[in-house]
Amino acid sequence: MQAEPIAVTMLVVEALERLGVRYAIGGSLASAVHGVVRATMDADLVADLRMEEVGPLASTLGDAFYADVDMMRDAVRRHASFNLIHFDTAFKVAVFVAKPRLFDRSQLARRQVHVLSEESDRRAYVATAEDVVLAKLEWYRLGGGVSDRHWRDVLGVVKVQGDRLDIDYLRRMAVTLDVPTC
């Protein structure tokens, strides 16, 4: 994986960890951990962020990131997402506030620690392969079933993980997300 996305994502991860906020890296970084690496222009995190943690998170990120506190609070209130933009690189970290639904709770409960870079011993919580597949399938469905990028990420994870995937979990959770399964 590219060094810059990992380095910038780790700044956000370290801030969340200092505050004790549960998170899981998802999106293309997670699909690269479990499947096929591809270039990415942003990173996605799911975080169980609470209103009282918004100010401290923005303060912890300091002058390194553009962080709109009002947008962050609105995202927490609506269980939506907000962006953190790294000033030096313009790299975006999208933070998706965990929704009060089974999938988001399960994704955070099942997250796994992974080394993200062979150049250093940088470890972070990453969504499981199954949860990456499910999230990508949900984004594919929400986007009208036209995103080659999400579909290729799903295929890459399935190809690399193969029999290691928990098919029963995939089927059960797919029903809650209204996405197709095998």
Side-chain angles (χ1 to χ4, degrees), residues 24 26 46 102-111 127 131 135 169:
V46 175
L102 179 60
F103 177 64
D104 292 52
R105 288 191 311 270
S106 179
Q107 188 174 18
L108 288 171
R110 291 169 40 90
R111 65 193 181 146
D131 291 324
Y169 174 80

Side-chain angles (χ1 to χ4, degrees), residues 11 57-67 85-89:
L11 294 173
L57 176 59
S59 293
T60 301
L61 294 171
D63 295 334
F65 285 86
Y66 168 79
I85 310 295
H86 188 245
F87 282 120
D88 289 346
T89 63

Side-chain angles (χ1 to χ4, degrees), residues 11 17 21 31 34 38-40 51 54-55 75 79 114 127 129 164 168 171:
L11 294 173
E17 288 178 347
V21 176
S31 65
H34 298 296
R38 71 167 168 86
T40 184
M51 194 62 74
V54 168
H79 296 279
H114 284 273
R164 291 184 298 270
D168 290 336
R171 287 185 178 139

Side-chain angles (χ1 to χ4, degrees), residues 35-111:
V36 178
V37 177
R38 71 167 168 86
T40 184
M41 300 308 293
D42 65 357
D44 297 332
L45 299 173
V46 175
D48 196 13
L49 189 66
R50 297 183 313 249
M51 194 62 74
E52 62 270 17
E53 295 163 332
V54 168
L57 176 59
S59 293
T60 301
L61 294 171
D63 295 334
F65 285 86
Y66 168 79
D68 185 316
V69 174
D70 290 331
M71 285 182 154
M72 293 167 72
R73 287 188 178 120
D74 185 56
V76 169
R77 194 173 9 268
R78 295 183 307 109
H79 296 279
S81 65
F82 61 89
N83 295 323
L84 301 169
I85 310 295
H86 188 245
F87 282 120
D88 289 346
T89 63
F91 188 78
K92 177 180 81 169
V93 177
V95 178
F96 293 84
V97 178
K99 293 177 173 60
R101 63 181 184 165
L102 179 60
F103 177 64
D104 292 52
R105 288 191 311 270
S106 179
Q107 188 174 18
L108 288 171
R110 291 169 40 90
R111 65 193 181 146

